[in-house]
Amino acid sequence: MKQFVYLFLFFSLAVQTITGQRLSERMIKSAATEAYPGGLKDLMNFLKIPNIGSEPDQVGRNLNWCENKFTSLGFRTEVIETSSAPLLFAEKRVSPKKKTVLFYLQIDGQPVDASEWEQDDPFIPVIKEKGSDGHWKTVDWDGKGIPNPEWRLFGRSASDSKGPAMAFITAVQYFHEHRHQPEFNIKVVMDFQEELGSPSLPQAVTDNRDLFDADMVLIMDGTRHISNWPTLCYGARGIATARIRVFGPSTSLHSGQYGNYAPNPVFEAARLISSMKDEEGRVLIRGFYDGISLSEKDKKALGFLPENEDSLRLRLGIHKRDAIGDNYQESMQYPSLNVRGLQSGWVGKEVRTIIPDVVDVEIDMRLVPETPGERMIQLLRDHMEREGYYMVDDTPSPEERAQYSKLASLDYRLGSLPFRTEMDSETGHYLNKALSRVFGEKVVNMRTTGGSQPIAPFIKTLDIPAVSVRIPNPDNNIHAPNENLRLGNFLEGIITCLAILNEPLK
Amino acid sequence: MKQFVYLFLFFSLAVQTITGQRLSERMIKSAATEAYPGGLKDLMNFLKIPNIGSEPDQVGRNLNWCENKFTSLGFRTEVIETSSAPLLFAEKRVSPKKKTVLFYLQIDGQPVDASEWEQDDPFIPVIKEKGSDGHWKTVDWDGKGIPNPEWRLFGRSASDSKGPAMAFITAVQYFHEHRHQPEFNIKVVMDFQEELGSPSLPQAVTDNRDLFDADMVLIMDGTRHISNWPTLCYGARGIATARIRVFGPSTSLHSGQYGNYAPNPVFEAARLISSMKDEEGRVLIRGFYDGISLSEKDKKALGFLPENEDSLRLRLGIHKRDAIGDNYQESMQYPSLNVRGLQSGWVGKEVRTIIPDVVDVEIDMRLVPETPGERMIQLLRDHMEREGYYMVDDTPSPEERAQYSKLASLDYRLGSLPFRTEMDSETGHYLNKALSRVFGEKVVNMRTTGGSQPIAPFIKTLDIPAVSVRIPNPDNNIHAPNENLRLGNFLEGIITCLAILNEPLK
C-alpha cells in the first residue's frame, strides 16, 4: 500500500475527466488524492452529528445531512417511513440500458461511554499520529495539505461506518463534479439503526421490492481482512442475543448477616457460564455446531488468506486462541457464544458488602446459515434446563423461590440473519476485476466475516447477490472506546469506490 | 413484644422523675412512649443530612449536628482529628465514684443508588405502612400522635445506624430534661467512617487511651436476632475485602470479528469463581476453615436461640441454605467468602457486542478470631496460583499477555478485626439484668454476629469488654435499597437505653 500512496503524493497532474470516458488506474489514484482532503473534512463534520439509533433526534439530524448531500449530488431522494426509524433512499439513473447497483450505507453508531475515550468527546473527531513512544498524539491538520495516510481519525463511527459511507460519497461527488458518468445506475439505502439490528429493514424491503430492486448489493460496512488489504466479503454471520438473569435471594442481603447462609447467585451463575464452554473455548451446549461441515476446498480457500496469527495474537494481547477451526478464517465459519456483559451488585467506588439478588448475563451468539437463531436460543434454554434451572418469565414468586434452588429467566432477540453469496459468481468476478485494476494481486476474498450485516433481507426477499466492500483498518476498535479509521484506508476507500463506479457492468 | 407495646399506648400516667431515683419497669416504658414521637422527629431530621463517609462535607455536617446535640444535653465534646475523617467524643461525668460506660455510635451510611429505592430520595426519610396487598404505602404522620409501632421509617441509615444512635440520644435527652441521673459516667465516641472500615479508629484509640478508657463498651450498631427480640451480641466477624481483576484481550473486541478466536475472560473468571465454592456453598480454598472448632457446649448454646429457619428462608427468598454449620447461628461462627460485586462489559441499555477486556470480581471475606485477614487473603492468592493464574500487580505487559493465558491482579484491604467477649462475664450479667427488667425472658444473647464492627481496637488496645446492643428489626434491608427501621423497634430501643442508663453498675 505504502508504495503508491507515497507515490501519488507527488502527482501534480491535473486529472482530465470527460463524461462517459473511463478512467485509467493512474487517473483513479490521482482523482482520489485530489478528493481526499475535502472528503476528510466532510467526514469530520459528519461525525460531529451524534448518531445513536435509539435517539430519534439524532436519527433526524443524520437523515437531513444525508438527504442534503445526495440531493446536491443530483440524486432523487425518498424517506421511507417504517415502524421504527426511517430509512433514506437515494437514486441516480444513468441509463435504462445499464444495470443497477444498490449501495447499503450504515449511518448510526454504537453507544459511547465518553469516560473511556482518550479524547474529550467521541463525537468530536480528532486526528492523531502515533508517537515514537507508541502513544497517539493529536495532530493539528491545517485542512489543506494531503494528510499523512498513517494518521488516524478517532471518533465514534469513524470506521463503523460513516468513514466507508463517506469514501463512497466522496467518489460519487468526484464523478458528479467532473461530470463523469458511472458505469451503472446507482441506488443507495441508508440505515440509521444498524447497531440496533435494523429492526424495520426486512419489512421495508418487502414493502419496497421494486424500489430496492438491483443487480447487485454492495454493503459499505465491515472491517478489512487483518492483512489490511482491500477486502471483499461474501458472507456475514448473523446474530441472536439473550439476557439471562440468575436469581438469588429476593433482595440483596448484608453479607455479614447472611454470608454462609444465603447462597450467593454469582456462584450459581459462574457454574452456569462455566458449563457452556470448555477451557479451549469450545461451546459445550448440545447441538451447537450441528450442521456445519467445511469441505477440503473450503478449508483450502480459507487457509490461503495472508494471515500471521502470531502477530494477530500479539496485537489482541492473548496467549492462545479459542480452539474452533484450524485458523482465524475457519473460526468465523462457526457460530460463537459470547458473554458480552456481566453484572451483579456493584464494583469499584460503588461497591457495597452485600449478597446480590440477581446476576445479569448478556449473551450474544453469532450465527452462520446452518445455525438459525431460533434453534440456537432453544439450545441455550435446553442447556439451562439440563443444568437444573427452573425457568421463569419474570421475577420468581415466593412459592417458586421456596421450591427451586436454581432460578433464571431468559429473554432473547433475533438480530440479523446470516448470509453467504457464492464467491465463484458473476458478482465476484466483476468486483475482483474492478479492484485488481487498482490494487493488483492484493485483494482479499473472504467467505464469511465474523460480524453481522442486516443484508439477508435483500438476498432472501429480492434474490440479489450481496457482497460487502471493506475499507477500515482491522485494528480500528469498532464498537469500543477509541474507534478510529486509518487515513490511508479512507484514501484507498475512495480509490475502491472510484474503481467500482468506473468498471463497466454487463 | 406486641403485648406491651400496645399496652402502654394506653398509659396516660405522667412519669415522675427525680434526680437519683431509679425508674420502675412501668415508668421506663411510659417515659419511652412519651419521648418516642419527639425522638422520631429528631431522627427524621438527622437522616436528612446525607452521610457518606468519603464525602468530607457530609461528614462535617453530621459532626456539627452531633456536637450541637450533645452540647445541648450537657456533655463536654471534643473533636478528635485523625488522618482521615475526625471522630467526635462526648462525655458526661456523673460521679468519680461511678463506673464509666463508653457508647460507640456509627453516624455514616452506605452509598446509595437512588434509582433502586421506592422513594424519591434515600435521604428524605418516609414513614410507610404495609397495605393489605403487601405493598408499603406512605403514611402521613401528623408529628403529634403516637406512631403505630408496625409502621416503618424508610431511609438510608434509618437502621444502620442513625436510628439506634437516636434511640440512645433520646434516652439521654429524657434523663437530661427530667434531671434524672444515669447510673454511670457516660462517654460517647461517634464514628463517621464505619462503612469505610473506620480507617483511623485504631490509631485514634491508641493515641487517646485515657480519653476512651471505660469499664465497658456498648456498640449501638447491628441488627437484632431474627426473632426480633432485644439482642445482645458478644462478638462480631471481621472483614477483609479483595478485588480480583481477570484480564482478557488488551482492549475490548468486536464479538463478531473475534468471537471464536479471542478467549472471553468472563469464562475464565467464571471457572475461577466456581473453583472457590462447591454447590453447597462450602469454600474449597485450601485451609479456609482451619483452626475453627465448635465445642458441644458452644453448639448447644447456639442451637438454643429461638429461630425458625423455614420462615427465615421464606423471608430471604431462598430454597436452601449454604451448608456451613448446622444452623444459622453456627454458620456465623465460620469465615465466609462472598462475591459482592461482579462486572464485565456492559448490561441493559448500555449493552454492546464486545468481548470484554477485563472482569472485576469484588470479594468480601467475613472473619472470625481464628482466621486473621492476612492469612485468608494469602490463601485466596495461593488458590488462584494453584488454578494456574499468573498474578500481576497492574495491567499486564504485552510480554506477560503473550506468555500466560490466565492473568489476574488481586488488591486487598483488611477491615475490622473479628472479636469475641465472653458471654458468661460481669458485663454479660449486668446487661442481662438491665434488659430482663423491662423485657423479661425475651432477651437474646448471641455469641457472634455476622457483620463486622470496628470494635476490636477497644478490646485489643484498651482491654475493655465490648458488647453490641441491637435495636433494628432483622428485615431492615441494611446496606441495600429501601433500608428501614420498624418504629416499634425504635421505641424498644429507647426503652433499652433507658433501662441501661437506669441500671446500677457496680
Side-chain angles (χ1 to χ4, degrees):
Chain A
M1 215 288 293
K2 279 186 186 168
Q3 309 85 294
F4 66 74
V5 171
Y6 289 120
L7 195 67
F8 57 60
L9 291 180
F10 297 100
F11 279 155
S12 59
L13 177 74
V15 181
Q16 289 225 302
T17 57
I18 302 158
T19 305
Q21 188 184 311
R22 291 186 55 221
L23 303 174
S24 69
E25 175 202 345
R26 188 170 138 190
M27 287 161 83
I28 289 174
K29 289 179 179 172
S30 178
T33 308
E34 183 189 325
Y36 161 49
L40 177 58
K41 268 188 284 187
D42 248 13
L43 173 57
M44 291 176 77
N45 286 326
F46 193 20
L47 292 176
K48 284 179 189 160
I49 311 173
N51 61 344
I52 308 303
S54 56
E55 300 290 336
D57 171 59
Q58 297 184 15
V59 168
R61 291 174 61 199
N62 281 281
L63 188 145
N64 285 345
W65 191 96
C66 293
E67 205 170 12
N68 291 336
K69 177 56 95 176
F70 278 94
T71 305
S72 77
L73 299 178
F75 280 66
R76 177 187 82 80
T77 64
E78 182 178 341
V79 175
I80 300 171
E81 297 297 341
T82 76
S83 59
S84 59
L87 298 162
L88 182 62
F89 178 82
E91 183 175 26
K92 183 179 237 177
R93 296 199 185 193
V94 174
S95 157
K97 290 180 192 160
K98 301 233 173 188
K99 287 196 168 177
T100 300
V101 178
L102 173 62
F103 291 85
Y104 169 91
L105 309 184
Q106 174 199 333
I107 307 299
D108 63 312
Q110 282 272 326
V112 296
D113 178 350
S115 67
E116 301 268 323
W117 287 64
E118 288 165 11
Q119 67 197 62
D120 290 342
D121 183 341
F123 295 114
I124 307 289
V126 180
I127 297 175
K128 297 186 182 186
E129 71 179 324
K130 202 171 201 164
S132 50
D133 60 357
H135 288 105
W136 290 97
K137 281 165 197 140
T138 301
V139 168
D140 201 17
W141 176 50
D142 64 1
K144 288 170 200 159
I146 305 291
N148 184 332
E150 295 305 331
W151 292 351
R152 295 196 182 190
L153 182 63
F154 285 80
R156 176 55 87 224
S157 298
S159 59
D160 181 25
S161 247
K162 282 186 172 177
M166 187 55 73
F168 169 71
I169 291 168
T170 304
V172 169
Q173 184 158 344
Y174 183 89
F175 267 55
H176 179 72
E177 287 173 355
H178 295 76
R179 290 186 299 145
H180 198 80
Q181 200 174 66
E183 291 291 337
F184 42 78
N185 301 307
I186 302 176
K187 291 182 177 179
V188 185
V189 59
M190 282 155 270
D191 188 346
F192 302 90
Q193 292 194 320
E194 197 270 352
E195 297 295 359
L196 304 178
S198 305
S200 303
L201 187 63
Q203 189 60 45
V205 173
T206 303
D207 293 347
N208 297 277
R209 281 169 182 272
D210 290 345
L211 195 66
F212 287 138
D213 193 37
D215 297 285
M216 182 190 305
V217 182
L218 296 183
I219 304 143
M220 308 309 288
D221 182 28
T223 294
R224 277 184 178 181
H225 178 256
I226 47 175
S227 61
N228 198 25
W229 291 2
T231 300
L232 298 168
C233 184
Y234 295 78
R237 292 197 288 194
I239 186 168
T241 58
R243 183 166 88 157
I244 295 169
R245 173 165 278 190
V246 175
F247 294 94
S250 46
T251 58
S252 52
L253 300 172
H254 188 285
S255 74
Q257 276 185 284
Y258 296 109
N260 274 2
Y261 193 83
N264 180 327
V266 169
F267 292 92
E268 207 58 81
R271 281 189 290 271
L272 175 62
I273 295 168
S274 300
S275 74
M276 293 180 186
K277 274 191 181 180
D278 69 15
E279 293 214 19
E280 306 298 315
R282 284 177 293 247
V283 176
L284 299 171
I285 293 172
R286 210 176 285 170
F288 196 81
Y289 299 121
D290 280 4
I292 301 158
S293 69
L294 289 177
S295 68
E296 281 310 308
K297 194 179 160 195
D298 290 336
K299 287 171 82 81
K300 200 167 169 185
L302 293 165
F304 186 72
L305 294 174
E307 291 176 359
N308 178 342
E309 294 204 11
D310 288 342
S311 77
L312 173 61
R313 284 193 300 276
L314 201 64
R315 180 162 65 74
L316 301 182
I318 61 174
H319 169 66
K320 60 173 185 177
R321 67 178 183 83
D322 282 341
I324 295 123
D326 289 339
N327 51 48
Y328 174 81
Q329 290 302 328
E330 281 192 27
S331 73
M332 296 298 119
Q333 313 306 315
Y334 292 86
S336 69
L337 175 79
N338 181 50
V339 177
R340 57 182 178 159
L342 179 66
Q343 191 169 42
S344 186
W346 292 265
V347 302
K349 281 189 183 170
E350 293 295 307
V351 74
R352 49 207 82 172
T353 48
I354 49 134
I355 299 171
D357 55 345
V358 295
V359 184
D360 285 329
V361 187
E362 297 274 9
I363 300 244
D364 68 85
M365 295 195 283
R366 302 290 174 165
L367 308 169
V368 296
E370 295 82 3
T371 60
E374 297 87 338
R375 192 185 93 204
M376 302 305 267
I377 293 288
Q378 188 59 47
L379 292 179
L380 175 61
R381 205 182 159 89
D382 292 348
H383 178 82
M384 291 180 68
E385 291 183 341
R386 271 199 303 278
E387 289 292 312
Y389 277 85
Y390 180 79
M391 304 300 288
V392 291
D393 291 331
D394 205 333
T395 304
S397 67
E399 293 71 30
E400 287 167 332
R401 290 180 183 281
Q403 192 172 354
Y404 303 102
S405 62
K406 296 184 178 187
L407 284 161
S409 62
L410 186 158
D411 299 316
Y412 70 92
R413 216 174 70 74
L414 302 175
S416 302
L417 294 167
F419 80 95
R420 264 203 308 271
T421 291
E422 283 302 309
M423 282 163 67
D424 187 8
S425 62
E426 266 186 42
T427 304
H429 301 160
Y430 167 77
L431 291 168
N432 274 277
K433 201 167 159 194
L435 266 64
S436 63
R437 204 182 288 282
V438 281
F439 298 119
E441 296 279 295
K442 294 191 166 180
V443 176
V444 169
N445 284 277
M446 278 170 68
R447 184 178 187 251
T448 306
T449 183
S452 57
Q453 282 172 340
I455 203 60
F458 295 106
I459 301 172
K460 301 227 164 168
T461 308
L462 305 179
D463 197 26
I464 308 176
V467 177
S468 72
V469 177
R470 302 177 152 236
I471 293 168
N473 40 300
D475 56 345
N476 60 0
N477 295 337
I478 71 167
H479 288 205
N482 302 314
E483 175 177 347
N484 68 81
L485 176 64
R486 181 177 162 276
L487 296 189
N489 283 57
F490 180 61
L491 172 55
E492 288 194 324
I494 302 170
I495 294 171
T496 301
C497 294
L498 288 171
I500 293 171
L501 293 173
N502 188 57
E503 189 67 32
L505 178 59
K506 284 160 194 162
Chain B
M1 214 287 292
K2 280 185 185 169
Q3 308 86 294
F4 65 76
V5 170
Y6 289 119
L7 195 67
F8 57 64
L9 291 180
F10 296 98
F11 280 154
S12 58
L13 175 76
V15 181
Q16 287 226 304
T17 56
I18 303 158
T19 305
Q21 189 183 311
R22 290 185 56 222
L23 303 174
S24 68
E25 175 203 346
R26 191 173 135 187
M27 287 161 84
I28 288 174
K29 288 178 179 172
S30 179
T33 308
E34 184 190 324
Y36 162 48
L40 177 57
K41 268 188 285 187
D42 248 14
L43 173 56
M44 290 177 77
N45 286 326
F46 193 20
L47 292 177
K48 285 179 188 160
I49 311 172
N51 60 344
I52 308 305
S54 56
E55 299 291 334
D57 170 60
Q58 297 184 14
V59 167
R61 290 174 62 199
N62 280 282
L63 189 144
N64 285 345
W65 190 96
C66 293
E67 203 169 15
N68 291 336
K69 177 55 94 175
F70 278 95
T71 305
S72 78
L73 299 178
F75 280 66
R76 177 187 82 79
T77 64
E78 183 178 340
V79 176
I80 300 171
E81 296 296 343
T82 76
S83 58
S84 58
L87 298 163
L88 181 63
F89 179 81
E91 183 175 26
K92 183 179 235 174
R93 297 203 183 190
V94 175
S95 156
K97 290 179 190 158
K98 300 234 173 190
K99 288 198 166 174
T100 300
V101 178
L102 173 63
F103 290 85
Y104 168 89
L105 309 184
Q106 174 200 333
I107 307 299
D108 63 313
Q110 283 272 326
V112 296
D113 178 351
S115 67
E116 301 268 322
W117 287 63
E118 288 165 10
Q119 66 197 64
D120 290 343
D121 183 341
F123 294 114
I124 307 288
V126 180
I127 297 175
K128 296 187 183 184
E129 71 178 326
K130 203 172 202 164
S132 50
D133 61 356
H135 288 105
W136 291 97
K137 283 164 196 139
T138 302
V139 168
D140 200 18
W141 175 50
D142 64 2
K144 288 170 200 158
I146 306 290
N148 184 332
E150 296 305 331
W151 293 351
R152 296 196 182 189
L153 182 63
F154 285 81
R156 176 55 86 223
S157 297
S159 58
D160 181 25
S161 246
K162 282 186 174 178
M166 186 55 71
F168 169 71
I169 291 168
T170 304
V172 169
Q173 185 159 341
Y174 183 89
F175 267 55
H176 179 71
E177 287 173 358
H178 295 75
R179 291 186 297 148
H180 198 79
Q181 201 173 66
E183 291 291 337
F184 43 78
N185 300 308
I186 302 176
K187 291 181 176 179
V188 186
V189 58
M190 282 155 270
D191 189 345
F192 302 90
Q193 292 192 322
E194 197 271 351
E195 297 296 359
L196 304 179
S198 304
S200 302
L201 187 64
Q203 189 59 46
V205 172
T206 302
D207 294 347
N208 297 276
R209 281 168 181 274
D210 291 345
L211 196 64
F212 286 138
D213 193 35
D215 297 286
M216 184 190 305
V217 181
L218 297 184
I219 303 142
M220 308 309 290
D221 181 28
T223 294
R224 277 184 179 181
H225 178 256
I226 47 173
S227 60
N228 197 27
W229 291 1
T231 301
L232 297 169
C233 184
Y234 295 79
R237 292 197 288 194
I239 186 168
T241 58
R243 184 165 88 156
I244 295 169
R245 173 165 278 191
V246 175
F247 293 94
S250 46
T251 58
S252 51
L253 300 173
H254 189 285
S255 74
Q257 276 186 285
Y258 297 109
N260 275 0
Y261 193 83
N264 180 326
V266 169
F267 291 92
E268 205 60 81
R271 280 190 290 270
L272 175 63
I273 294 169
S274 299
S275 74
M276 292 180 185
K277 274 192 181 180
D278 68 16
E279 292 215 19
E280 306 297 315
R282 283 177 294 247
V283 177
L284 298 172
I285 294 171
R286 209 175 286 173
F288 196 81
Y289 299 123
D290 281 3
I292 301 159
S293 69
L294 289 177
S295 69
E296 281 310 306
K297 194 181 162 195
D298 290 335
K299 286 170 83 82
K300 201 167 168 184
L302 293 165
F304 186 71
L305 293 175
E307 291 177 359
N308 178 341
E309 294 204 11
D310 288 341
S311 75
L312 172 61
R313 285 193 299 277
L314 200 64
R315 180 163 65 74
L316 300 182
I318 60 174
H319 168 66
K320 60 172 187 178
R321 66 177 184 82
D322 281 342
I324 295 122
D326 289 338
N327 51 48
Y328 174 81
Q329 290 302 328
E330 281 192 26
S331 74
M332 296 299 118
Q333 313 306 316
Y334 292 85
S336 68
L337 175 79
N338 182 49
V339 177
R340 57 184 179 157
L342 179 65
Q343 191 168 42
S344 187
W346 292 266
V347 302
K349 281 188 183 172
E350 293 296 308
V351 73
R352 48 206 83 170
T353 49
I354 49 135
I355 299 171
D357 54 346
V358 295
V359 184
D360 285 328
V361 187
E362 297 275 9
I363 300 245
D364 68 84
M365 294 197 282
R366 301 290 174 165
L367 308 169
V368 295
E370 295 81 4
T371 60
E374 297 86 337
R375 192 185 94 205
M376 302 304 267
I377 293 288
Q378 187 59 47
L379 292 180
L380 176 61
R381 204 184 159 89
D382 292 349
H383 177 81
M384 291 179 67
E385 290 182 341
R386 271 197 304 278
E387 289 292 312
Y389 277 84
Y390 180 79
M391 304 300 289
V392 291
D393 291 331
D394 206 332
T395 303
S397 66
E399 292 72 27
E400 287 167 331
R401 290 180 183 281
Q403 191 171 354
Y404 303 102
S405 62
K406 296 183 179 189
L407 284 161
S409 62
L410 187 158
D411 298 317
Y412 69 93
R413 215 174 70 74
L414 301 175
S416 301
L417 294 168
F419 81 94
R420 264 203 307 271
T421 291
E422 283 303 309
M423 282 163 65
D424 187 9
S425 62
E426 267 186 44
T427 304
H429 301 158
Y430 167 77
L431 291 168
N432 274 276
K433 200 168 161 193
L435 266 62
S436 63
R437 203 181 289 283
V438 281
F439 298 117
E441 295 280 293
K442 294 190 164 180
V443 175
V444 168
N445 284 276
M446 279 170 67
R447 183 178 187 250
T448 307
T449 184
S452 57
Q453 283 172 338
I455 203 61
F458 295 105
I459 301 172
K460 300 227 165 169
T461 308
L462 305 180
D463 196 24
I464 308 176
V467 177
S468 71
V469 177
R470 301 176 154 237
I471 293 169
N473 41 300
D475 57 343
N476 60 0
N477 295 336
I478 70 168
H479 288 207
N482 302 312
E483 175 178 347
N484 67 83
L485 176 64
R486 182 178 161 277
L487 296 190
N489 282 59
F490 180 60
L491 173 56
E492 289 194 324
I494 302 170
I495 295 173
T496 301
C497 294
L498 288 171
I500 293 171
L501 292 173
N502 188 57
E503 190 67 34
L505 178 60
K506 283 159 194 161

